[in-house]
Amino acid sequence: MSATTINDRLVRMANQIALFFRSYPEEEAVSGIHKHIVAFWTPKMRRDLEGYAEEAGERLDALVHRALHEDPQVESPVRPATRNPQLVGEGASDAG
């Protein structure tokens, strides 16, 4: 049995998302993290992370804490066509 709990895995995954968005301005990063978690995580994963965030404390990136508890104030830096997995590739050309 692994010593890593489900909550620890959620923290690790959320921190990986935050690491990706670190290169963006802070408000855009928070928005990007928020939108990614809403778009790609199940409701149970989101609830579990939100419930564990306080206990995780500093182990959970500060940007993730903000993304979980604040409404994004700016647009996500992720292009609109990639925010929704069903839209990936729409409008793109495969012409060589």
Coordinates of all heavy atoms in Angstrom, one line a residue:
M1 N 0.8 -1.2 0.0 CA 0.0 0.0 0.0 C 0.9 1.2 0.0 O 1.9 1.3 0.7 CB -0.9 0.0 1.2 CG -1.8 1.1 1.3 SD -3.5 0.4 1.6 CE -4.4 1.9 1.7
S2 N 0.5 2.2 -0.8 CA 1.3 3.4 -0.9 C 1.1 4.4 0.3 O 0.0 4.4 0.8 CB 0.9 4.1 -2.2 OG 1.5 5.4 -2.3
A3 N 2.1 5.0 0.7 CA 2.0 6.0 1.7 C 1.4 7.3 1.3 O 1.0 8.1 2.0 CB 3.4 6.3 2.3
T4 N 1.3 7.4 -0.1 CA 0.7 8.6 -0.6 C -0.9 8.5 -0.6 O -1.4 7.5 -1.1 CB 1.1 8.9 -2.1 OG1 2.6 8.9 -2.1 CG2 0.6 10.1 -2.7
T5 N -1.5 9.4 0.0 CA -3.0 9.4 0.0 C -3.6 10.0 -1.3 O -2.9 10.7 -2.0 CB -3.5 10.2 1.2 OG1 -3.3 11.5 1.0 CG2 -2.9 9.7 2.5
I6 N -4.9 9.8 -1.5 CA -5.6 10.4 -2.6 C -5.4 11.9 -2.5 O -5.2 12.6 -3.5 CB -7.1 10.0 -2.5 CG1 -7.2 8.5 -2.7 CG2 -7.8 10.8 -3.6 CD1 -7.5 8.0 -4.0
N7 N -5.6 12.5 -1.3 CA -5.5 13.9 -1.1 C -4.1 14.4 -1.5 O -3.9 15.5 -2.1 CB -5.8 14.3 0.3 CG -7.3 14.2 0.5 OD1 -8.1 14.3 -0.4 ND2 -7.7 14.0 1.8
D8 N -3.1 13.6 -1.1 CA -1.7 14.0 -1.5 C -1.5 14.0 -3.0 O -0.8 14.9 -3.5 CB -0.7 13.1 -0.8 CG -0.6 13.3 0.7 OD1 -0.9 14.4 1.2 OD2 -0.2 12.3 1.4
R9 N -2.1 13.1 -3.7 CA -2.0 13.0 -5.1 C -2.7 14.2 -5.8 O -2.3 14.8 -6.7 CB -2.6 11.7 -5.7 CG -1.7 10.5 -5.4 CD -2.3 9.3 -6.0 NE -2.0 8.2 -5.1 CZ -2.8 7.2 -4.8 NH1 -4.0 7.1 -5.3 NH2 -2.5 6.3 -3.9
L10 N -3.9 14.6 -5.2 CA -4.6 15.8 -5.7 C -3.8 17.0 -5.5 O -3.7 17.9 -6.4 CB -6.0 15.9 -5.0 CG -7.0 14.9 -5.3 CD1 -8.2 15.1 -4.4 CD2 -7.4 14.8 -6.8
V11 N -3.1 17.2 -4.4 CA -2.2 18.3 -4.1 C -1.1 18.3 -5.2 O -0.8 19.3 -5.7 CB -1.7 18.3 -2.7 CG1 -0.5 19.3 -2.5 CG2 -2.8 18.6 -1.7
R12 N -0.5 17.2 -5.4 CA 0.6 17.1 -6.3 C 0.1 17.5 -7.7 O 0.8 18.3 -8.4 CB 1.2 15.7 -6.4 CG 2.4 15.6 -7.3 CD 2.9 14.2 -7.5 NE 1.9 13.5 -8.2 CZ 1.6 12.2 -8.0 NH1 2.3 11.4 -7.2 NH2 0.7 11.6 -8.7
M13 N -1.0 17.0 -8.2 CA -1.6 17.3 -9.5 C -1.9 18.8 -9.6 O -1.6 19.4 -10.6 CB -2.8 16.5 -9.8 CG -2.5 15.0 -10.0 SD -3.8 13.9 -10.6 CE -5.3 14.6 -9.8
A14 N -2.5 19.3 -8.6 CA -2.8 20.8 -8.6 C -1.6 21.6 -8.6 O -1.5 22.6 -9.3 CB -3.7 21.1 -7.4
N15 N -0.5 21.2 -7.9 CA 0.7 21.9 -7.9 C 1.4 21.9 -9.3 O 2.1 22.8 -9.7 CB 1.6 21.4 -6.8 CG 1.2 21.9 -5.4 OD1 0.4 22.8 -5.3 ND2 1.7 21.2 -4.4
Q16 N 1.2 20.7 -10.0 CA 1.8 20.6 -11.3 C 1.1 21.6 -12.3 O 1.7 22.2 -13.1 CB 1.7 19.2 -11.8 CG 2.6 18.2 -11.1 CD 2.3 16.8 -11.5 OE1 1.2 16.4 -11.8 NE2 3.4 16.0 -11.4
I17 N -0.2 21.7 -12.1 CA -1.0 22.7 -12.9 C -0.4 24.1 -12.6 O -0.2 24.9 -13.5 CB -2.5 22.6 -12.7 CG1 -3.0 21.2 -13.1 CG2 -3.2 23.7 -13.4 CD1 -4.4 20.9 -12.6
A18 N -0.3 24.4 -11.3 CA 0.2 25.7 -10.9 C 1.6 26.0 -11.5 O 1.9 27.1 -11.9 CB 0.3 25.9 -9.4
L19 N 2.5 25.0 -11.5 CA 3.8 25.1 -12.1 C 3.8 25.5 -13.5 O 4.5 26.4 -14.0 CB 4.6 23.8 -11.9 CG 6.0 23.8 -12.3 CD1 6.9 24.8 -11.6 CD2 6.6 22.4 -12.2
F20 N 2.8 24.9 -14.3 CA 2.7 25.2 -15.7 C 2.3 26.7 -15.8 O 2.9 27.4 -16.7 CB 1.6 24.4 -16.3 CG 1.2 24.8 -17.7 CD1 2.0 24.5 -18.8 CD2 0.1 25.6 -17.9 CE1 1.7 24.9 -20.1 CE2 -0.2 26.1 -19.2 CZ 0.6 25.7 -20.3
F21 N 1.4 27.2 -15.0 CA 0.9 28.6 -15.2 C 1.8 29.6 -14.5 O 1.5 30.8 -14.6 CB -0.6 28.7 -14.6 CG -1.6 28.1 -15.6 CD1 -2.1 26.9 -15.3 CD2 -2.0 28.8 -16.7 CE1 -3.1 26.3 -16.2 CE2 -2.9 28.3 -17.6 CZ -3.5 27.0 -17.3
R22 N 2.8 29.2 -13.8 CA 3.7 30.2 -13.1 C 4.3 31.2 -14.0 O 4.7 32.3 -13.6 CB 4.8 29.5 -12.4 CG 4.4 28.9 -11.0 CD 4.9 29.9 -10.0 NE 4.2 29.5 -8.7 CZ 3.7 30.3 -7.9 NH1 3.8 31.6 -8.1 NH2 3.1 29.9 -6.8
S23 N 4.5 30.9 -15.3 CA 5.1 31.8 -16.2 C 4.2 33.0 -16.7 O 4.7 33.9 -17.3 CB 5.7 31.1 -17.5 OG 4.6 30.5 -18.2
Y24 N 2.9 32.9 -16.3 CA 2.0 33.9 -16.7 C 1.8 34.9 -15.5 O 2.2 34.6 -14.4 CB 0.6 33.3 -16.9 CG 0.6 32.4 -18.2 CD1 0.8 31.1 -18.1 CD2 0.4 33.0 -19.4 CE1 0.8 30.3 -19.2 CE2 0.4 32.2 -20.6 CZ 0.6 30.9 -20.5 OH 0.6 30.1 -21.6
P25 N 1.3 36.1 -15.8 CA 1.0 37.1 -14.8 C 0.1 36.4 -13.7 O -0.7 35.5 -14.1 CB 0.3 38.2 -15.5 CG 0.8 38.1 -16.9 CD 1.0 36.7 -17.2
E26 N 0.2 36.8 -12.5 CA -0.4 36.1 -11.4 C -2.0 35.9 -11.6 O -2.5 34.9 -11.4 CB -0.2 36.8 -10.0 CG -0.7 36.0 -8.9 CD -0.2 36.6 -7.5 OE1 0.8 37.2 -7.5 OE2 -0.9 36.4 -6.6
E27 N -2.6 37.0 -12.0 CA -4.1 36.9 -12.1 C -4.5 35.9 -13.3 O -5.5 35.2 -13.1 CB -4.7 38.3 -12.4 CG -4.6 39.2 -11.2 CD -5.1 38.6 -9.9 OE1 -6.2 38.1 -9.9 OE2 -4.5 38.8 -8.8
E28 N -3.7 35.9 -14.3 CA -3.9 35.0 -15.4 C -3.7 33.6 -15.0 O -4.4 32.6 -15.4 CB -3.1 35.4 -16.6 CG -3.6 36.6 -17.3 CD -2.7 36.9 -18.6 OE1 -2.1 36.0 -19.1 OE2 -2.7 38.1 -19.0
A29 N -2.6 33.4 -14.2 CA -2.3 32.1 -13.7 C -3.4 31.5 -12.8 O -3.8 30.4 -13.0 CB -1.0 32.1 -12.9
V30 N -3.9 32.4 -11.9 CA -5.1 31.9 -11.0 C -6.3 31.5 -11.9 O -6.9 30.5 -11.7 CB -5.4 33.0 -10.0 CG1 -6.8 32.7 -9.3 CG2 -4.3 33.2 -9.0
S31 N -6.6 32.3 -12.9 CA -7.7 32.0 -13.8 C -7.4 30.7 -14.6 O -8.3 29.9 -14.7 CB -7.9 33.2 -14.8 OG -8.9 32.9 -15.6
G32 N -6.2 30.6 -15.1 CA -5.9 29.4 -15.8 C -6.0 28.1 -15.0 O -6.5 27.1 -15.4
I33 N -5.5 28.2 -13.7 CA -5.6 27.0 -12.8 C -7.1 26.7 -12.5 O -7.5 25.6 -12.6 CB -4.8 27.3 -11.5 CG1 -3.4 27.5 -11.8 CG2 -5.1 26.2 -10.4 CD1 -2.6 28.1 -10.6
H34 N -7.8 27.8 -12.2 CA -9.3 27.6 -11.9 C -10.0 26.9 -13.1 O -10.7 25.9 -12.9 CB -9.9 28.9 -11.6 CG -11.4 28.9 -11.4 ND1 -12.0 28.5 -10.2 CD2 -12.4 29.1 -12.3 CE1 -13.3 28.6 -10.4 NE2 -13.6 28.9 -11.6
K35 N -9.8 27.5 -14.3 CA -10.5 26.9 -15.4 C -10.0 25.5 -15.8 O -10.8 24.7 -16.2 CB -10.3 27.9 -16.6 CG -11.1 29.2 -16.4 CD -11.1 30.0 -17.6 CE -11.8 31.4 -17.3 NZ -13.2 31.4 -17.2
H36 N -8.8 25.2 -15.6 CA -8.3 23.9 -15.8 C -8.9 22.9 -14.9 O -9.4 21.8 -15.3 CB -6.8 23.8 -15.7 CG -6.2 22.4 -16.0 ND1 -5.8 22.0 -17.2 CD2 -6.1 21.3 -15.2 CE1 -5.5 20.7 -17.2 NE2 -5.6 20.3 -15.9
I37 N -9.0 23.2 -13.6 CA -9.5 22.3 -12.6 C -11.0 22.1 -12.9 O -11.5 21.0 -12.9 CB -9.2 22.8 -11.2 CG1 -7.7 22.6 -10.9 CG2 -10.1 22.0 -10.2 CD1 -7.3 23.1 -9.6
V38 N -11.7 23.1 -13.2 CA -13.2 23.0 -13.5 C -13.4 22.2 -14.8 O -14.3 21.4 -14.8 CB -13.8 24.4 -13.6 CG1 -15.2 24.4 -14.2 CG2 -13.9 25.1 -12.2
A39 N -12.6 22.4 -15.8 CA -12.8 21.7 -17.1 C -12.4 20.3 -17.1 O -13.0 19.5 -17.7 CB -12.0 22.5 -18.2
F40 N -11.3 19.9 -16.3 CA -10.8 18.6 -16.5 C -10.9 17.7 -15.2 O -10.6 16.5 -15.3 CB -9.3 18.7 -16.9 CG -9.2 19.3 -18.3 CD1 -8.7 20.6 -18.4 CD2 -9.6 18.6 -19.4 CE1 -8.6 21.2 -19.6 CE2 -9.5 19.2 -20.7 CZ -9.0 20.5 -20.8
W41 N -11.2 18.2 -14.1 CA -11.3 17.4 -12.9 C -12.8 17.1 -12.6 O -13.7 17.9 -12.9 CB -10.8 18.2 -11.7 CG -9.3 18.3 -11.6 CD1 -8.4 18.4 -12.7 CD2 -8.5 18.3 -10.5 NE1 -7.1 18.5 -12.3 CE2 -7.1 18.5 -10.9 CE3 -8.7 18.3 -9.1 CZ2 -6.1 18.6 -10.0 CZ3 -7.7 18.4 -8.2 CH2 -6.4 18.5 -8.7
T42 N -13.0 15.9 -12.0 CA -14.4 15.5 -11.7 C -14.8 16.4 -10.5 O -14.0 16.9 -9.7 CB -14.5 14.0 -11.3 OG1 -13.7 13.8 -10.1 CG2 -13.9 13.1 -12.4
P43 N -16.2 16.5 -10.4 CA -16.7 17.2 -9.2 C -16.1 16.7 -7.9 O -15.8 17.4 -7.0 CB -18.2 17.1 -9.3 CG -18.4 16.9 -10.8 CD -17.3 16.1 -11.3
K44 N -16.0 15.3 -7.8 CA -15.5 14.7 -6.5 C -14.0 15.2 -6.3 O -13.7 15.5 -5.2 CB -15.6 13.2 -6.6 CG -15.1 12.6 -5.3 CD -15.2 11.1 -5.3 CE -14.8 10.4 -4.1 NZ -13.8 11.0 -3.2
M45 N -13.2 15.2 -7.3 CA -11.8 15.6 -7.2 C -11.8 17.0 -6.7 O -11.0 17.4 -5.8 CB -11.1 15.4 -8.5 CG -10.8 14.0 -8.9 SD -10.2 13.9 -10.6 CE -8.6 14.6 -10.5
R46 N -12.6 17.9 -7.3 CA -12.6 19.3 -6.9 C -13.1 19.4 -5.4 O -12.4 20.2 -4.6 CB -13.5 20.1 -7.8 CG -13.0 20.2 -9.2 CD -13.7 21.3 -10.0 NE -15.2 21.1 -10.1 CZ -15.8 20.5 -11.0 NH1 -15.2 20.0 -12.1 NH2 -17.2 20.4 -11.0
R47 N -14.1 18.7 -5.0 CA -14.6 18.8 -3.6 C -13.5 18.3 -2.7 O -13.3 18.9 -1.6 CB -15.9 18.0 -3.5 CG -17.1 18.6 -4.0 CD -18.4 17.9 -3.5 NE -18.3 16.5 -3.8 CZ -18.8 15.9 -4.9 NH1 -19.3 16.6 -5.9 NH2 -18.7 14.6 -5.1
D48 N -12.9 17.2 -3.0 CA -11.9 16.6 -2.2 C -10.7 17.6 -2.0 O -10.2 17.8 -0.8 CB -11.4 15.3 -2.7 CG -12.4 14.2 -2.6 OD1 -13.4 14.4 -1.9 OD2 -12.1 13.1 -3.1
L49 N -10.3 18.2 -3.1 CA -9.2 19.2 -2.9 C -9.6 20.4 -2.1 O -8.8 20.8 -1.3 CB -8.6 19.6 -4.3 CG -7.4 20.5 -4.3 CD1 -6.2 19.9 -3.6 CD2 -7.1 21.0 -5.7
E50 N -10.8 20.9 -2.4 CA -11.2 22.1 -1.6 C -11.3 21.7 -0.2 O -11.0 22.6 0.7 CB -12.6 22.5 -2.2 CG -12.5 23.2 -3.5 CD -13.9 23.4 -4.2 OE1 -14.9 23.0 -3.6 OE2 -13.9 23.9 -5.3
G51 N -11.8 20.5 0.2 CA -11.9 20.1 1.6 C -10.6 19.9 2.2 O -10.5 20.0 3.5
Y52 N -9.6 19.6 1.5 CA -8.3 19.3 2.0 C -7.3 20.5 2.0 O -6.3 20.4 2.6 CB -7.7 18.1 1.2 CG -6.4 17.5 1.8 CD1 -6.3 16.9 3.0 CD2 -5.2 17.6 1.0 CE1 -5.2 16.4 3.5 CE2 -4.0 17.1 1.5 CZ -4.0 16.5 2.7 OH -2.8 16.0 3.2
A53 N -7.7 21.5 1.3 CA -6.8 22.6 1.0 C -6.2 23.3 2.3 O -5.0 23.5 2.4 CB -7.5 23.7 0.2
E54 N -7.1 23.5 3.3 CA -6.6 24.1 4.5 C -5.6 23.2 5.2 O -4.6 23.7 5.7 CB -7.8 24.4 5.4 CG -7.4 25.2 6.6 CD -8.6 25.7 7.5 OE1 -9.7 25.9 6.9 OE2 -8.4 25.8 8.7
E55 N -6.0 21.9 5.3 CA -5.0 21.0 6.0 C -3.7 20.9 5.2 O -2.7 20.8 5.8 CB -5.7 19.6 6.0 CG -4.9 18.6 6.8 CD -5.6 17.2 6.9 OE1 -6.8 17.2 6.8 OE2 -4.9 16.2 7.0
A56 N -3.8 21.0 3.9 CA -2.5 20.9 3.1 C -1.7 22.1 3.3 O -0.4 22.0 3.2 CB -2.9 20.8 1.6
G57 N -2.3 23.2 3.6 CA -1.5 24.4 4.0 C -0.5 24.8 2.9 O -0.9 24.9 1.7
E58 N 0.7 25.0 3.3 CA 1.8 25.5 2.4 C 2.2 24.4 1.4 O 2.9 24.7 0.4 CB 3.0 26.0 3.1 CG 2.7 27.3 3.9 CD 3.9 27.8 4.5 OE1 5.0 27.3 4.4 OE2 3.7 28.9 5.2
R59 N 1.8 23.1 1.6 CA 2.1 22.1 0.6 C 1.3 22.3 -0.7 O 1.7 21.9 -1.8 CB 1.8 20.7 1.1 CG 2.8 20.3 2.2 CD 2.6 18.9 2.7 NE 1.3 18.7 3.3 CZ 0.3 17.8 2.8 NH1 0.6 17.0 1.8 NH2 -0.8 17.8 3.4
L60 N 0.2 23.0 -0.6 CA -0.6 23.4 -1.8 C -0.2 24.8 -2.2 O -0.2 25.7 -1.5 CB -2.1 23.3 -1.5 CG -3.0 23.5 -2.6 CD1 -2.9 22.5 -3.7 CD2 -4.5 23.5 -2.1
D61 N 0.2 24.9 -3.5 CA 0.7 26.2 -4.1 C -0.3 27.3 -3.7 O -1.5 27.1 -3.8 CB 0.9 26.0 -5.6 CG 1.6 27.2 -6.2 OD1 1.0 28.3 -6.3 OD2 2.7 27.0 -6.6
A62 N 0.2 28.5 -3.4 CA -0.6 29.6 -3.1 C -1.6 30.0 -4.2 O -2.7 30.4 -4.0 CB 0.2 30.8 -2.7
L63 N -1.1 29.8 -5.5 CA -2.0 30.1 -6.6 C -3.2 29.1 -6.7 O -4.3 29.5 -7.1 CB -1.2 30.0 -7.9 CG -0.1 31.1 -8.2 CD1 0.6 30.8 -9.4 CD2 -0.7 32.5 -8.2
V64 N -2.9 27.9 -6.3 CA -4.0 26.9 -6.3 C -5.0 27.3 -5.2 O -6.3 27.3 -5.4 CB -3.5 25.5 -6.0 CG1 -4.7 24.5 -5.9 CG2 -2.6 25.1 -7.1
H65 N -4.5 27.7 -4.0 CA -5.4 28.2 -2.9 C -6.3 29.3 -3.5 O -7.5 29.3 -3.3 CB -4.6 28.7 -1.7 CG -4.2 27.6 -0.8 ND1 -5.0 27.0 0.1 CD2 -3.0 27.1 -0.6 CE1 -4.4 26.1 0.8 NE2 -3.1 26.2 0.4
R66 N -5.7 30.2 -4.2 CA -6.5 31.4 -4.7 C -7.5 30.9 -5.8 O -8.7 31.3 -5.8 CB -5.6 32.4 -5.3 CG -4.9 33.2 -4.3 CD -4.2 34.4 -4.9 NE -5.1 35.3 -5.6 CZ -4.8 36.1 -6.6 NH1 -3.5 36.2 -6.9 NH2 -5.7 36.8 -7.2
A67 N -7.1 30.0 -6.6 CA -7.9 29.5 -7.7 C -9.1 28.7 -7.1 O -10.2 28.7 -7.7 CB -7.1 28.6 -8.6
L68 N -9.0 28.1 -6.0 CA -10.1 27.3 -5.4 C -11.1 28.2 -4.7 O -12.2 27.9 -4.5 CB -9.5 26.3 -4.3 CG -8.7 25.2 -4.9 CD1 -8.1 24.3 -3.7 CD2 -9.5 24.3 -5.8
H69 N -10.6 29.4 -4.2 CA -11.4 30.2 -3.3 C -11.8 31.6 -3.9 O -12.5 32.3 -3.2 CB -10.7 30.4 -1.9 CG -10.5 29.1 -1.3 ND1 -9.3 28.5 -1.2 CD2 -11.4 28.2 -0.6 CE1 -9.4 27.3 -0.5 NE2 -10.7 27.2 -0.2
E70 N -11.4 31.9 -5.1 CA -11.7 33.2 -5.7 C -12.3 33.0 -7.1 O -11.9 32.0 -7.7 CB -10.4 34.1 -5.8 CG -9.7 34.4 -4.5 CD -8.5 35.2 -4.7 OE1 -8.2 35.7 -5.9 OE2 -7.7 35.3 -3.8
D71 N -13.1 33.9 -7.5 CA -13.6 33.9 -8.8 C -12.6 34.6 -9.7 O -12.1 35.6 -9.3 CB -14.9 34.6 -9.0 CG -16.1 33.8 -8.4 OD1 -16.1 32.6 -8.4 OD2 -17.0 34.4 -7.8
P72 N -12.2 33.9 -10.8 CA -11.2 34.6 -11.6 C -11.6 36.0 -12.1 O -12.7 36.2 -12.4 CB -11.1 33.7 -12.8 CG -11.6 32.3 -12.4 CD -12.6 32.7 -11.3
Q73 N -10.6 36.9 -12.0 CA -10.9 38.3 -12.4 C -10.5 38.7 -13.8 O -10.8 39.7 -14.3 CB -10.2 39.2 -11.4 CG -10.6 39.0 -9.9 CD -12.1 39.2 -9.7 OE1 -12.7 40.3 -10.1 NE2 -12.8 38.3 -9.1
V74 N -9.7 37.8 -14.4 CA -9.3 38.0 -15.8 C -9.5 36.7 -16.6 O -9.8 35.7 -16.0 CB -7.8 38.4 -15.8 CG1 -7.5 39.7 -15.1 CG2 -6.9 37.3 -15.3
E75 N -9.3 36.8 -17.9 CA -9.4 35.7 -18.7 C -8.2 34.7 -18.5 O -7.1 35.2 -18.2 CB -9.4 36.1 -20.2 CG -10.7 36.5 -20.7 CD -11.7 35.3 -20.8 OE1 -11.4 34.2 -21.3 OE2 -12.8 35.5 -20.2
S76 N -8.4 33.5 -18.7 CA -7.4 32.5 -18.7 C -6.5 32.7 -19.9 O -6.9 33.0 -20.9 CB -8.0 31.1 -18.7 OG -7.0 30.1 -19.0
P77 N -5.2 32.4 -19.7 CA -4.2 32.6 -20.8 C -4.4 31.5 -21.8 O -3.8 31.5 -22.9 CB -2.9 32.6 -20.2 CG -3.1 31.8 -18.9 CD -4.5 32.1 -18.5
V78 N -5.1 30.4 -21.5 CA -5.3 29.3 -22.4 C -6.2 29.7 -23.5 O -7.3 30.3 -23.3 CB -5.9 28.1 -21.6 CG1 -6.1 26.9 -22.6 CG2 -4.9 27.7 -20.5
R79 N -5.8 29.4 -24.8 CA -6.6 29.8 -25.9 C -8.0 29.2 -25.8 O -8.2 28.0 -25.4 CB -6.0 29.3 -27.2 CG -4.7 30.0 -27.5 CD -4.1 29.7 -28.9 NE -4.6 28.5 -29.4 CZ -3.8 27.4 -29.6 NH1 -2.5 27.4 -29.3 NH2 -4.3 26.3 -30.2
P80 N -9.1 29.9 -26.2 CA -10.4 29.4 -26.1 C -10.7 28.0 -26.8 O -11.4 27.2 -26.2 CB -11.3 30.5 -26.9 CG -10.5 31.7 -26.8 CD -9.0 31.2 -26.8
A81 N -10.1 27.7 -27.9 CA -10.3 26.4 -28.5 C -9.8 25.3 -27.7 O -10.2 24.1 -27.9 CB -9.6 26.4 -29.9
T82 N -8.9 25.5 -26.7 CA -8.4 24.4 -25.9 C -9.0 24.3 -24.5 O -8.6 23.5 -23.8 CB -6.8 24.5 -25.8 OG1 -6.5 25.7 -25.2 CG2 -6.2 24.4 -27.2
R83 N -9.9 25.2 -24.2 CA -10.5 25.2 -22.9 C -11.4 24.0 -22.7 O -11.7 23.5 -21.7 CB -11.2 26.5 -22.6 CG -10.3 27.6 -22.2 CD -11.1 28.8 -21.7 NE -10.2 29.9 -21.8 CZ -10.6 31.1 -22.2 NH1 -11.9 31.4 -22.4 NH2 -9.8 32.1 -22.2
N84 N -12.1 23.7 -23.8 CA -13.1 22.6 -23.8 C -12.5 21.4 -24.6 O -12.3 21.6 -25.8 CB -14.4 23.2 -24.4 CG -15.5 22.2 -24.4 OD1 -15.3 20.9 -24.3 ND2 -16.7 22.7 -24.4
P85 N -12.3 20.3 -24.0 CA -11.7 19.2 -24.8 C -12.5 18.8 -26.0 O -12.0 18.3 -27.0 CB -11.7 18.0 -23.8 CG -12.2 18.5 -22.5 CD -12.6 19.9 -22.7
Q86 N -13.8 19.0 -26.0 CA -14.7 18.7 -27.2 C -14.4 19.7 -28.4 O -14.7 19.4 -29.5 CB -16.2 18.8 -26.9 CG -16.6 17.6 -26.0 CD -16.2 17.7 -24.6 OE1 -16.1 18.8 -24.0 NE2 -16.1 16.6 -23.9
L87 N -13.8 20.8 -28.1 CA -13.5 21.8 -29.1 C -12.1 21.7 -29.7 O -11.8 22.4 -30.6 CB -13.8 23.2 -28.6 CG -15.2 23.5 -28.2 CD1 -15.3 25.0 -27.6 CD2 -16.2 23.3 -29.3
V88 N -11.2 20.9 -29.1 CA -9.9 20.8 -29.6 C -9.8 20.5 -31.0 O -10.5 19.5 -31.5 CB -9.1 19.8 -28.7 CG1 -7.7 19.6 -29.4 CG2 -8.9 20.3 -27.3
G89 N -9.2 21.3 -31.8 CA -9.0 21.0 -33.2 C -10.1 21.7 -34.1 O -9.9 21.8 -35.3
E90 N -11.2 22.2 -33.5 CA -12.2 22.9 -34.3 C -11.6 24.1 -34.9 O -10.9 24.9 -34.2 CB -13.4 23.2 -33.4 CG -14.4 22.2 -33.4 CD -15.7 22.6 -32.9 OE1 -16.1 23.8 -33.0 OE2 -16.4 21.8 -32.3
G91 N -11.8 24.3 -36.2 CA -11.3 25.5 -36.8 C -9.9 25.3 -37.3 O -9.4 26.2 -37.9
A92 N -9.3 24.2 -36.9 CA -7.9 24.0 -37.3 C -7.9 23.3 -38.7 O -8.8 22.7 -39.1 CB -7.2 23.1 -36.3
S93 N -6.8 23.5 -39.4 CA -6.7 22.9 -40.7 C -5.6 21.8 -40.6 O -4.6 22.0 -40.0 CB -6.2 24.0 -41.7 OG -5.9 23.4 -42.9
D94 N -5.9 20.7 -41.3 CA -4.9 19.7 -41.4 C -4.2 19.7 -42.8 O -3.4 18.8 -43.1 CB -5.5 18.3 -41.2 CG -6.5 17.9 -42.2 OD1 -6.9 18.8 -43.0 OD2 -7.0 16.8 -42.1
A95 N -4.4 20.8 -43.5 CA -3.8 21.0 -44.8 C -2.3 21.2 -44.6 O -1.9 22.0 -43.7 CB -4.3 22.2 -45.5
G96 N -1.5 20.5 -45.3 CA -0.1 20.6 -45.2 C 0.6 21.8 -45.7 O 1.6 22.2 -45.6

